[in-house]
Amino acid sequence: MSLESQELEELKSKIGRVPTSTELQIVAAEWSEHCSYKSSKRHLKMLPMDGPLVITEKGYDSGVLDVGDGYVVTAHIESHNHPSAVEPYGGAATGVGGVVRDILSAGTRPIAIFDGLRFGNIEKDKQARWLFKNAVTGVADYGNCLGIPTIGGEVEFDECYENYALVDVASVGFGKRENLIKNHAKKGDVVVLMGGSTGRDGIGGSQFASDSLETEDRSAVQIPDPFIEKLIIEAIIEARNEKLIHAMKDLGGGGLSCAVSETAEALDIGIEMDVDKVHTRESDMHPDEIMVSESQERMLIVTSKTKLKKLQSICKKFRIGCSVIGSVKFDNNVHVKKGKKTFAKMSADIIANATLLDLPSKKPAYLKNISKEKKFKIINDYSKIMMKLLASPNIASKIWVYSQYDHEVGIRTVIKPGADASVLRLDNGKYLSVKIDGNPKQCYINPREGAIGCFEEACRNVVCTGAKPIGMLDHLQFGSPKDPEIFWTFLESLKGLTDFAKDFEIPCIGGKVSLYNETPAGPIKPTPLIGVLGLIDKKPLIPQKIIEGDCLVIVGDTKDELGGSEYFEYIHKFIGGACPVVNFVDSKKNMNSILDLIQQQIPKIAHDCSKGGLAVAVSELCMTNKIGCKVSLDKIPGDKLTDERILFSESHSRYLLVVDKKNIKKLENILKKNKVSFQSIGEFSGEKIQFVNDTKSIIDLRVDKAHKTWINSLGDLVLHA
Amino acid sequence: MASFNVHVTIENKPGISDPEGETILNDLVLRDIHKTVSKIKTAKMLKFTIKEKDKKTAQSKVQKICDEVRIYNPMVSKITIDVFDA
Amino acid sequence: MKVGVVVFPGSNCDRDMFHVLTDVFHLDAQYYWHDKELPKNIDAVILPGGFSYGDRLRAGVIAAHSPIIKDVQKMAEKGIPILGVCNGFQILVESGLLPGVLLKNDSLNFMCEWTDLIVENNTTPFTNQFKLNDKIPIPIANGEGKYYADDDTLKKLKKKNQIVFRYGDVVNGSSNRIAGVCNEDGNVVGMMPHPERAVESEINPIDNKPSSLIFESLLVKMGIKN
């Protein structure tokens, strides 16, 4: 247990006595950082969470958006960082399980999974490779078995994650608004635990997530069982259709303790339960263990006595365990018994409302001079640098990862992984575009602008498919909040996201905070991960084949912003410089113009500039379409810059458009009208990726050679290094 | 030096769930009339052929290899080693 | 005319298949849970893809012991068209209705990608609208899709025209690149790739017409179409 002594005193005074050991376990679980958000909750309120499309229900773990015609989309994001650093396969797999159950508990069928994976330097570190490989297999095995397509994600490597792992999983669900579970409880209702049996898994798990990895708690390993999870999905959908569910909550961190107390508090009821009724995997489990066990694949359901029989027969059909563990009371207590003996009886309000901390913050000393650049060696051969970048783990194609994920099951995937954002078709003729993005390199050197950058990048990606951003998920991952400098970076990121969300009217519909991500080597870089959902009313922009003579147009200015770039960090091994800053006005103009153009079916392809800058973005277009392009660097709009800065700066709000010559005039008229910065910078033809400045050749690469390197590097590194 | 066959059996530690074993027991074996079967655990076996001076050294060498190269994850699994003459 | 879609605990592609049968090809289809009986007047049976029983022990082996498989075997004997897709193929093989075995892919990884199928037998209820050697762009998604049969079995398959589809390229190490086979009577077909994922142009980035012929063939066989 890890209640701090001050918290223990607080608990004693709140309940007016010394707590029993069971009560202590329950409160320690619920008051842990992972469950209570005590360090961050006070500040998370600043995020805008309302909007015309946002639907709020009590007790929900996922966010809900109205997508029209009586349909809704749900979304949630979760992380399993600590367990994955210790046992990556099980950690990643059970991460998928957890987020999928959150989607299910709103009453929607999960239709897609996304994973954000971050590890140490896989070129040098065998441990990082091992973690990466196994995490990918974990996500693949679990998602594939569930029959839910994993259609998008991110993979990044940075030395700050040495001996650690960030495994973030997001899921999206879809269903009819009328089928959303309106969490409520009636007099006489019963509380049912359904799903896998309860064992000693992960005992101490959620508390473990709030300690740093030095105090390894071995029992925090969780064994995934996607088969039973699949059965749970089908059973719950059937139970939902038969209107058998009054309230539902999935069991995640803190197990029964958190699920029962949070349900009681949200519904304003009391729950009296008997641990002897819980279907267990092991004999002689102590009530304390039963209450904090983090055995996977379990759901808590509140239903009436009359509807119970039907629910039980559905569970029998799907051969999943179903125990009536308690009943609804109208006091406000969480009352845990074993047979006749009471082991815990406390107000749900006390359990579910940990005292929120008001932690101090201080601007980190390292930020004082971080934007200063140092003098670098002059580079003569940018072609060689390009090949190095294309082979680098952060830029190389991630096909080795996503080809292990079944991304076609469900037959909704219209734009497949590998594009800017994946797109799913919905039942009402609309389309959903989703992307998650993080950038710890930028967030380290400028927490505020870096976080805004992630948000804008995710928006750019969905915009490239023709989608209008309608909601955001945020996953805020930082080191210890008890360090005022780290806490400052957390607050700055949060404020940045809030400002962008408010200005662009994109509500935050859900998210998570994961703190204490540290190893003996130190804290991770600030890693806010932003997921954006976009809606397409008519037709998505499915990338078309580039042919000889097609034009390349850039929208948006390129600035002197190499801070946090792959070029600085991978090639020059330098951390620092000017972090790219999003200009809200330009960003909005550019986004709307791209959507405008796509709606009028003018571009063949829209592709955003991000990691590796303009050089990599152009190369990606050429390699994917097996065609060359000659780009004039002197034509690139923006600041007057040296060649390397134009090529590799990772300035935001920039898009590349591939346009048929015959549509150029139309495009120019629209962009001029919108007062957007743009320029035709090249033409597609031949077999070479070329960047020239006036007549000087800066980069000259063969498309086929570049493609071979880019496609195979990551797989080769993981399998044969 | 002699040749030995060393069998390394990898299985989940007691207390760690074994969903595959449970499914095979409940959905395959017990479905028929073999109700006397009460438990099935899954395991993986690797068979090493190794040249060492004696059985004891062969066993400790293979144990070392399994620990170093991470043949099994000690968080989740345990190994049993049996040595036979080749 | 009724098509039965058999659903096992862990089946995933049943709803995809159902959508294609009913919304795209306008057939009367119905789901049958694995412990129920198949009606005697069923006109075709499809075993869809997925992870029945989590693919535990061996993909398809536990499902092959399901009560409904006895009915599927009876239908097979009656000559009713039966199609097993992916896990469905694995179940048909484990239940003895089709020859050979499906092993782990050579890459040892799950593979999700688009590939080409070549039609080798155009006399089955699912291939009668093809010409020999027609090419079908279609996705695969499996971890245990490597078809294997010993040399004697392979000889027999060739002799009796039981090889229905081959992969256009080396994909997962299948013997003779076999992607689908049929029984001796030619009414039971198993295939690893997923036709239900290829028949709609919205999600088929290449060409949805060839894979549609798989279902058109069934319509012709069932006398619904000419």
Side-chain angles (χ1 to χ4, degrees):
Chain A
M1 65 135 271
S2 52
L3 261 190
E4 302 192 16
S5 60
Q6 170 211 340
E7 288 174 323
L8 179 55
E9 288 314 304
E10 219 187 294
L11 177 61
K12 278 188 199 162
S13 88
K14 278 188 173 160
I15 60 177
R17 55 176 171 83
V18 175
T20 65
S21 86
T22 310
E23 288 169 343
L24 218 43
Q25 289 304 313
I26 293 174
V27 173
E30 186 61 25
W31 287 12
S32 68
E33 185 65 56
H34 183 87
C35 294
S36 71
Y37 283 44
K38 57 193 173 192
S39 300
S40 59
K41 204 165 184 178
R42 191 185 283 275
H43 304 285
L44 293 174
K45 297 195 180 112
M46 69 170 89
L47 285 166
M49 306 210 212
D50 289 313
L53 301 180
V54 179
I55 297 173
T56 332
E57 281 289 345
K58 51 179 178 189
Y60 271 18
D61 285 321
S62 349
V64 189
L65 287 166
D66 184 342
V67 291
D69 310 294
Y71 289 102
V72 295
V73 157
T74 49
H76 193 57
I77 190 164
E78 276 250 343
S79 68
H80 256 215
N81 301 338
H82 281 76
S84 300
V86 161
E87 211 289 272
Y89 179 85
T94 53
V96 174
V99 76
V100 159
R101 289 193 304 276
D102 286 322
I103 297 296
L104 198 59
S105 56
T108 50
R109 181 183 277 281
I111 60 168
I113 294 165
F114 306 82
D115 61 336
L117 307 172
R118 290 184 157 77
F119 307 93
N121 184 339
I122 58 164
E123 287 182 303
K124 300 209 167 76
D125 185 352
K126 212 164 60 169
Q127 165 84 344
R129 282 199 292 275
W130 178 80
L131 288 170
F132 175 45
K133 200 154 158 246
N134 282 285
V136 169
T137 311
V139 173
D141 283 359
Y142 206 94
N144 294 343
C145 185
L146 292 184
I148 302 172
T150 302
I151 62 167
E154 252 205 317
V155 175
E156 188 175 1
F157 308 97
D158 187 291
E159 292 191 355
C160 78
Y161 306 115
E162 187 183 330
N163 285 323
Y164 202 62
L166 287 192
V167 173
D168 301 307
V169 195
S171 181
V172 161
F174 180 68
K176 294 205 170 110
R177 185 176 181 156
E178 67 198 21
N179 285 334
L180 285 172
I181 307 290
K182 302 221 177 336
N183 290 319
H184 69 284
K186 294 201 183 112
K187 193 171 179 185
D189 276 357
V190 292
V191 178
V192 175
L193 181 64
M194 69 109 89
S197 53
T198 299
R200 294 197 164 87
D201 315 62
I203 282 188
S206 74
Q207 293 155 47
F208 166 72
S210 313
D211 301 326
S212 78
L213 211 52
E214 285 173 70
T215 54
E216 266 186 324
D217 185 346
R218 278 146 208 278
S219 61
V221 164
Q222 298 155 330
I223 302 293
D225 187 350
F227 174 46
I228 202 174
E229 176 110 344
K230 162 70 181 177
L231 298 173
I232 288 173
I233 294 174
E234 298 309 322
I236 294 220
I237 299 283
E238 204 169 302
R240 172 205 76 182
N241 292 342
E242 308 256 343
K243 313 239 183 288
L244 304 175
I245 302 174
H246 287 184
M248 176 160 52
K249 189 154 186 86
D250 100 290
L251 271 73
L256 266 175
S257 298
C258 295
V260 166
S261 49
E262 285 169 24
T263 302
E265 202 247 355
L267 269 48
D268 221 355
I269 54 173
I271 291 178
E272 182 185 301
M273 58 167 283
D274 182 352
V275 295
D276 276 345
K277 300 265 161 56
V278 171
H279 55 288
T280 53
R281 182 185 313 140
E282 297 186 56
S283 52
D284 71 278
M285 280 184 74
H286 190 274
D288 291 8
E289 295 180 304
I290 292 177
M291 291 311 291
V292 299
S293 158
E294 290 189 351
S295 294
Q296 295 295 301
E297 292 105 16
R298 296 177 300 162
M299 297 287 264
L300 199 72
I301 293 182
V302 176
T303 187
S304 72
K305 285 205 191 85
T306 45
K307 293 177 184 169
L308 175 64
K309 234 198 158 86
K310 250 193 169 167
L311 181 66
Q312 285 170 322
S313 78
I314 291 175
C315 289
K316 186 150 180 248
K317 169 185 171 186
F318 287 102
R319 30 117 35 260
I320 52 185
C322 179
S323 318
V324 179
I325 63 167
S327 53
V328 169
K329 297 279 182 239
F330 285 95
D331 53 25
N332 206 251
N333 290 327
V334 169
H335 185 179
V336 178
K337 293 173 21 202
K338 180 177 161 67
K340 294 221 165 91
K341 187 164 177 221
T342 289
F343 276 76
K345 190 169 184 185
M346 278 186 302
S347 135
D349 273 342
I350 291 178
I351 305 171
N353 288 300
T355 301
L356 301 182
L357 303 175
D358 196 0
L359 297 171
S361 65
K362 187 175 94 170
K363 183 168 178 180
Y366 79 84
L367 282 179
K368 196 154 168 224
N369 294 312
I370 196 88
S371 54
K372 287 203 179 72
E373 287 182 20
K374 70 169 196 210
K375 257 224 150 7
F376 297 115
K377 226 172 46 184
I378 307 270
I379 291 187
N380 291 317
D381 190 350
Y382 282 108
S383 297
K384 202 158 148 220
I385 296 293
M386 260 321 285
M387 287 303 277
K388 253 188 128 185
L389 280 173
L390 292 177
S392 69
N394 285 339
I395 290 179
S397 166
K398 306 298 180 289
I399 194 170
W400 179 83
V401 174
Y402 62 76
S403 62
Q404 294 181 57
Y405 302 153
D406 186 350
H407 47 268
E408 302 278 3
V409 62
I411 53 177
R412 290 184 186 278
T413 318
V414 173
I415 296 184
K416 328 278 183 188
D420 284 83
S422 298
V423 172
L424 297 159
R425 58 178 177 170
L426 301 176
D427 292 0
N428 60 348
K430 297 192 183 165
Y431 301 80
L432 188 71
S433 178
V434 185
K435 183 73 168 70
I436 57 175
D437 270 304
N439 196 324
K441 293 175 166 63
Q442 288 183 9
C443 290
Y444 179 69
I445 62 176
N446 192 324
R448 179 194 158 77
E449 300 299 341
I452 293 174
C454 295
F455 198 162
E456 212 246 0
E457 185 180 347
C459 289
R460 292 201 299 275
N461 281 313
V462 307
V463 160
C464 282
T465 65
K468 179 167 186 292
I470 57 169
M472 173 269 262
L473 293 170
D474 65 319
H475 194 14
L476 308 172
Q477 300 169 110
F478 293 79
S480 167
K482 297 250 163 78
D483 178 340
E485 293 192 342
I486 293 178
F487 198 65
W488 186 91
T489 66
F490 166 75
L491 287 176
E492 281 296 295
S493 296
L494 188 56
K495 287 181 198 158
L497 295 172
T498 301
D499 289 346
F500 190 90
K502 283 189 173 151
D503 197 286
F504 283 71
E505 292 177 311
I506 304 171
C508 171
I509 62 163
K512 268 257 174 329
V513 177
S514 165
L515 300 174
Y516 296 97
N517 291 295
E518 310 216 355
T519 68
I524 60 167
K525 286 179 180 170
T527 314
L529 188 67
I530 308 301
V532 168
L533 288 84
L535 194 61
I536 304 167
D537 281 331
K538 292 279 154 61
K539 281 247 167 278
L541 174 55
I542 298 177
Q544 297 158 49
K545 187 124 188 76
I546 304 181
I547 56 174
E548 186 101 7
D550 279 343
C551 299
L552 178 64
V553 174
I554 189 171
V555 172
D557 286 333
T558 303
K559 305 177 191 161
D560 189 358
E561 292 173 324
L562 277 168
S565 64
E566 285 299 317
Y567 178 67
F568 262 12
E569 302 214 4
Y570 187 75
I571 301 294
H572 291 290
K573 312 266 179 271
F574 173 71
I575 296 177
C579 179
V581 173
V582 175
N583 176 309
F584 285 20
V585 172
D586 289 342
S587 171
K588 217 178 267 179
K589 264 198 304 190
N590 296 356
M591 264 190 229
N592 291 332
S593 301
I594 301 294
L595 287 176
D596 223 346
L597 291 171
I598 291 176
Q599 231 186 54
Q600 302 193 44
Q601 303 188 328
I602 293 172
K604 291 172 88 165
I605 300 176
H607 181 42
D608 93 307
C609 290
S610 54
K611 270 206 189 336
L614 176 70
V616 168
V618 172
S619 304
E620 285 167 345
L621 286 173
C622 293
M623 293 183 298
T624 324
N625 287 272
K626 301 200 168 55
I627 188 168
C629 187
K630 190 167 177 187
V631 174
S632 304
L633 292 179
D634 42 295
K635 294 206 174 113
I636 308 293
D639 301 342
K640 202 100 205 80
L641 302 171
T642 57
D643 295 329
E644 71 175 357
R645 279 165 204 269
I646 300 175
L647 287 167
F648 303 117
S649 171
E650 293 181 8
S651 297
H652 292 296
S653 314
R654 295 180 301 160
Y655 301 81
L656 290 179
L657 301 174
V658 179
V659 186
D660 187 321
K661 239 186 225 145
K662 66 179 203 282
N663 289 326
I664 280 287
K665 257 274 154 276
K666 239 183 177 182
L667 171 128
E668 286 176 353
N669 290 339
I670 293 174
L671 293 178
K672 281 198 185 108
K673 195 173 75 154
N674 290 350
K675 297 209 183 51
V676 150
S677 176
F678 75 97
Q679 187 63 248
S680 262
I681 58 171
E683 193 173 288
F684 288 94
S685 84
E687 300 166 343
K688 291 195 156 194
I689 303 169
Q690 293 173 307
F691 289 86
V692 299
N693 193 331
D694 206 10
T695 51
K696 179 157 169 245
S697 168
I698 312 291
I699 290 178
D700 190 303
L701 290 178
R702 269 179 51 183
V703 176
D704 56 355
K705 268 186 152 180
H707 183 258
K708 191 157 175 239
T709 298
W710 179 73
I711 277 278
N712 294 315
S713 283
L714 192 61
D716 283 345
L717 186 56
V718 179
L719 299 174
H720 310 302
Chain B
M1 293 288 242
S3 225
F4 297 100
N5 289 335
V6 184
H7 294 184
V8 177
T9 305
I10 307 163
E11 59 189 301
N12 281 0
K13 281 165 31 177
I16 304 266
S17 68
D18 185 355
E20 182 165 7
E22 279 171 33
T23 311
I24 297 169
L25 175 68
N26 292 317
D27 292 283
L28 193 58
V29 173
L30 288 184
R31 190 184 247 166
D32 273 331
I33 45 161
H34 312 299
K35 305 271 185 221
T36 48
V37 179
S38 62
K39 194 175 180 128
I40 296 181
K41 279 197 79 177
T42 57
K44 188 172 186 168
M45 183 188 281
L46 298 178
K47 296 182 175 181
F48 287 70
T49 306
I50 189 170
K51 264 203 185 76
E52 289 295 338
K53 67 172 194 220
D54 54 36
K55 273 191 181 168
K56 195 158 168 231
T57 320
Q59 173 151 352
S60 62
K61 191 67 189 291
V62 170
Q63 175 80 53
K64 190 159 178 264
I65 294 172
C66 291
D67 292 335
E68 278 177 16
V69 174
R70 241 207 291 232
I71 291 267
Y72 71 110
N73 186 341
M75 298 270 108
V76 179
S77 320
K78 67 174 207 257
I79 55 173
T80 326
I81 303 185
D82 298 299
V83 189
F84 306 93
D85 290 313
Chain C
M1 294 282 144
K2 210 179 358 226
V3 181
V5 177
V6 181
V7 185
F8 299 91
S11 292
N12 287 324
C13 309
D14 43 316
R15 283 172 300 114
D16 297 350
M17 183 59 79
F18 190 85
H19 158 79
V20 161
L21 293 169
T22 54
D23 297 325
V24 179
F25 293 96
H26 311 295
L27 281 161
D28 178 12
Q30 197 151 320
Y31 294 112
Y32 293 98
W33 186 238
H34 74 116
D35 65 1
K36 298 273 181 286
E37 286 174 357
L38 281 175
K40 299 216 173 28
N41 63 346
I42 202 105
D43 300 293
V45 179
I46 299 191
L47 277 69
F51 278 72
S52 57
Y53 295 94
D55 270 8
R56 287 177 183 168
L57 188 56
R58 274 189 323 279
V61 65
I62 299 181
H65 288 76
S66 286
I68 206 168
I69 292 293
K70 288 199 182 63
D71 283 355
V72 175
Q73 282 163 334
K74 283 198 199 111
M75 299 294 162
E77 283 160 25
K78 270 166 71 179
I80 301 289
I82 297 173
L83 178 68
V85 173
C86 202
N87 191 220
F89 184 11
Q90 292 160 336
I91 296 170
L92 289 173
V93 161
E94 286 287 347
S95 61
L97 283 169
L98 287 176
V101 68
L102 269 352
L103 303 171
K104 264 199 150 82
N105 298 334
D106 271 352
S107 68
L108 300 181
N109 282 338
F110 190 93
M111 300 171 68
C112 178
E113 53 189 65
W114 283 77
T115 188
D116 280 329
L117 282 191
I118 314 287
V119 177
E120 301 275 331
N121 173 340
N122 63 348
T123 63
T124 76
F126 304 95
T127 51
N128 58 49
Q129 295 301 295
F130 287 99
K131 288 196 286 299
L132 286 180
N133 296 317
D134 270 351
K135 212 157 71 150
I136 311 173
I138 197 165
I140 52 168
N142 56 66
E144 290 167 63
K146 175 176 170 174
Y147 186 81
Y148 174 79
D150 59 36
D151 287 333
D152 285 338
T153 312
L154 285 175
K155 274 198 200 93
K156 185 167 97 58
L157 291 179
K158 275 190 206 122
K159 194 160 151 225
K160 305 216 166 158
N161 198 17
Q162 285 179 257
I163 298 172
V164 181
F165 300 109
R166 264 193 235 271
Y167 295 108
D169 265 317
V170 172
V171 159
N172 51 20
S174 294
S175 308
N176 294 20
R177 297 206 215 146
I178 292 172
V181 299
C182 65
N183 60 347
E184 279 190 40
D185 291 336
N187 64 316
V188 180
V189 174
M191 59 189 295
M192 277 318 286
H194 287 263
E196 77 281 8
R197 298 182 183 184
V199 301
E200 293 173 276
S201 58
E202 194 163 43
I203 51 173
N204 182 333
I206 308 161
D207 183 1
N208 66 316
K209 288 189 219 48
S211 49
S212 302
L213 293 180
I214 293 174
F215 296 93
E216 306 260 349
S217 299
L218 181 63
L219 291 173
V220 168
K221 174 75 183 178
M222 284 165 70
I224 297 175
K225 209 178 177 197
N226 295 315

